[in-house]
Structure formats: C-alpha cells, structure tokens
Amino acid sequence: MEGYLGRKHDLEGPNKKASNRSWNNLYCVLRNSELTFYKDAKNLALGVPYHGEEPLALRHAICEVAASYKKKKHVFKLRLSNGSEWLFHGKDEEEMLSWLQGMSMA
Ligand code: I3P
C-alpha cells in the first residue's frame, strides 16, 4: 500500500530521543515488509527515497494507536525491533486504521 502520512521520529533507540523531531508529510510505500519514504509519488517513480533514507524493516515491529499522543488525532506508533519509534498521522480514522492493519501484518 502507499500514500501520504505525517511522520515524526520519536526515539532513535531504547530511551534515546530522536534529534530531528519535526513532522513531515511523506509519501509512504509498504511493500515486502519494508516501509520506504519518498517526498512525493514522483520521487517514488524515480526511485529516490526521502533524504536517501534506508527502508524500515517491519518484521518484529509493533504498531499501535498512539493513545498518549494528544496533539493530533489519528496518530499511531511504530516500534521497530531495534527500539526506534516513529509516529504516523493519518488524515482520518479510516486511513489510520488501514495503515495500522497493513503495518501490523507486514
Ligand atoms: C519540533 C517540532 C515538532 C514537535 C517537537 C519539536 O521542533 O516542533 O512538531 O513535536 O517537539 O522538537 P523542530 O521542528 O524545531 O525540530 P510535536 O508536534 O509532537 O509537539 P518534541 O521535541 O516535544 O517532540
């Protein structure tokens, strides 16, 4: 699946806050248990990931609604096996739940 989500890097590893903590609206692509980020669909077509980032490996990742995050609605949290955590912001409940389901099954 693919589409735009807001993304915020919360933890770089266990108990280590991410240094760049701002929200970015990114074109997200979930394929083969990997999540890759692009600035937009054009950059996906060109094969140019956002800031040259490596894809996130979703195996053994945990995904859940970010109930404690109160500043935005429709936010969910992804925790990777290396302890890093990311927040994602969908435009509505339906979008959030479909990504949550997709990432949980990856
Ligand atoms: C961050 C930016 C984020 C904010 C984060 C700031 O600053 O304002 O929106 O997260 O707060 O550090 P900058 O863009 O200058 O890096 P929230 O929107 O969740 O508040 P935080 O460090 O408390 O996570």
Side-chain angles (χ1 to χ4, degrees):
M1 63 188 294
E2 60 188 70
Y4 286 97
L5 285 173
R7 184 192 77 173
K8 176 183 173 178
H9 198 182
D10 193 15
L11 296 180
E12 274 170 21
N15 303 315
K16 185 171 192 298
K17 273 196 172 194
S19 45
N20 180 356
R21 314 187 49 75
S22 45
W23 284 98
N24 299 111
N25 198 37
L26 298 176
Y27 198 75
C28 305
V29 178
L30 174 58
R31 264 182 215 151
N32 304 323
S33 297
E34 285 189 342
L35 186 60
T36 311
F37 303 100
Y38 299 89
K39 180 168 169 282
D40 51 28
K42 185 179 152 215
N43 278 271
L44 164 63
L46 294 170
V48 180
Y50 180 69
H51 286 184
E53 292 179 5
E54 292 294 322
L56 302 182
L58 296 189
R59 268 187 228 284
H60 312 298
I62 293 169
C63 210
E64 64 190 17
V65 173
S68 61
Y69 189 83
K70 306 288 187 197
K71 293 179 187 172
K72 295 179 193 287
K73 285 183 180 173
H74 320 307
V75 173
F76 64 96
K77 177 193 289 193
L78 176 69
R79 183 181 313 122
L80 302 181
S81 52
N82 64 8
S84 77
E85 285 191 13
W86 303 78
L87 295 177
F88 293 98
H89 179 220
K91 69 176 183 309
D92 54 29
E93 190 78 2
E94 189 188 350
E95 187 174 79
M96 178 188 77
L97 291 176
S98 63
W99 277 102
L100 196 50
Q101 187 182 30
M103 289 190 202
S104 301
M105 291 188 317

